[in-house]
Amino acid sequence: MTDTPEPAVAWHVATPGVLVVTLQRPRANALGLPIIEGLTEALDSASARGDIKVVIVSSSLPGFFAAGADIKHMATVDATSFTAYGDALRGVLDRLAGDTWIAIAAIDGLALGGGLELAMACHLRVAGNGARLGLPEVSLGLIPGAGGTQRLPRLVGRGRALGMMLTARQVPADEALTMGLVDRLVPEGTALEAALQLADTLLEMSLPAQSAVIRCVDAAFDTSLEDGFRFEVAQEQRLFEEGEAKEGITAFLEKRPPKFS
């Protein structure tokens, strides 16, 4: 009797409103088609439920968040298949980065190449103090092609982003915190626990308002300052008319916690 191998990705509702997605593809969570398909199914599940406000991406493999793209797979494909692989990876990361939920990366161990691109697609990153992060694609004659060249400069600035990508340097967790690549630094092995605690805080807020914050911050990088101001005003007005602002304001005046949906 042959044991059925574990799926590359597992997910479960940890607490109401919080979906934990666990990468578990030995030996290093290479982001091949099994993980891409697993992430897609996990996000499909979150969308179908309709009550997920926070998605946490974590790993069950000691020493690894995700070590990069699937190099063995890339070595066997032609140009057309390489394009399809890249499109599939970019598609699931862009979906994770949207405004349907707040995504948190819980990083313990190595987050390299596509693994770091996965973490950067999340809105927030919690890292154990033993984590190391990097984009080593130039050592393979490639570039970070799943959003890395665009997301990294927005997080750490042009100079630091170039310094990391041009040299393929791995950044230790404490430096990543200093440069803004990660948002919280915690003891090694506790990134998931800390991400769950952060999720509890996020759940207390209004998701429509949080989603509007994401849209406005993204617009700050894509529009002029004047257009950004106009976009912000439109988002604020929409929240007042259609969002949860009425409940938030009423709760404040009544000195009680708001009851957001």
Side-chain angles (χ1 to χ4, degrees):
M1 181 175 179
T2 303
D3 291 336
T4 302
E6 282 192 326
V9 178
W11 59 92
H12 70 281
V13 177
T15 58
V18 180
L19 187 77
V20 173
V21 179
T22 305
L23 310 183
Q24 53 184 26
R25 185 190 182 199
R27 292 183 301 180
N29 284 330
L31 297 185
L33 294 177
I35 281 189
I36 293 171
E37 291 168 358
L39 286 171
T40 299
E41 292 173 7
L43 298 184
D44 285 346
S45 175
S47 295
R49 288 185 60 90
D51 62 349
I52 298 300
K53 295 185 175 183
V54 179
V55 173
I56 298 173
V57 182
S58 64
S59 167
S60 67
L61 303 185
F64 294 97
F65 174 71
D70 192 333
I71 306 303
K72 291 182 179 179
H73 173 74
M74 292 166 60
T76 65
V77 300
D78 58 16
T80 300
S81 297
F82 180 78
T83 298
Y85 169 60
D87 287 346
L89 179 56
R90 285 185 288 272
V92 74
L93 298 193
D94 288 347
R95 186 176 174 193
L96 182 65
D99 61 7
T100 306
W101 41 63
I102 309 299
I104 306 171
I107 306 168
D108 273 310
L110 295 176
L112 302 178
L116 180 53
E117 289 178 303
L118 170 60
M120 290 192 295
C122 295
H123 305 105
L124 298 168
R125 283 153 295 283
V126 176
N129 57 20
R132 297 184 69 85
L133 305 91
L135 294 172
E137 283 83 354
V138 293
S139 66
L140 300 175
L142 293 168
I143 64 171
T149 65
Q150 303 305 300
R151 290 191 173 104
L152 185 61
R154 285 167 165 78
L155 290 170
V156 305
R158 182 178 186 272
R160 285 173 172 155
L162 286 174
M164 286 181 62
M165 289 187 284
L166 294 179
T167 65
R169 183 172 73 92
Q170 294 182 19
V171 174
D174 57 349
E175 183 180 349
L177 177 68
T178 300
M179 67 168 57
L181 184 53
V182 302
D183 303 288
R184 296 191 179 188
L185 188 62
V186 297
E188 186 172 1
T190 67
L192 177 55
E193 178 185 351
L196 287 166
Q197 292 173 354
L198 176 56
D200 287 341
T201 299
L202 294 169
L203 289 174
E204 296 174 0
M205 312 302 166
S206 165
L207 182 58
Q210 291 169 324
S211 298
V213 167
I214 293 169
R215 291 191 292 270
C216 288
V217 170
D218 287 345
F221 294 97
D222 299 327
T223 65
S224 68
L225 184 61
E226 292 76 14
D227 287 343
F229 285 149
R230 283 190 285 271
F231 185 77
E232 179 185 86
V233 168
Q235 294 293 306
E236 178 81 342
Q237 186 68 26
R238 181 179 176 184
L239 289 170
F240 185 81
E241 294 179 11
E242 304 173 12
E244 297 179 327
K246 182 177 180 180
E247 166 60 17
I249 293 169
T250 300
F252 178 83
L253 293 175
E254 294 178 353
K255 296 181 173 56
R256 61 170 175 82
K259 298 177 182 178
F260 295 129
S261 61

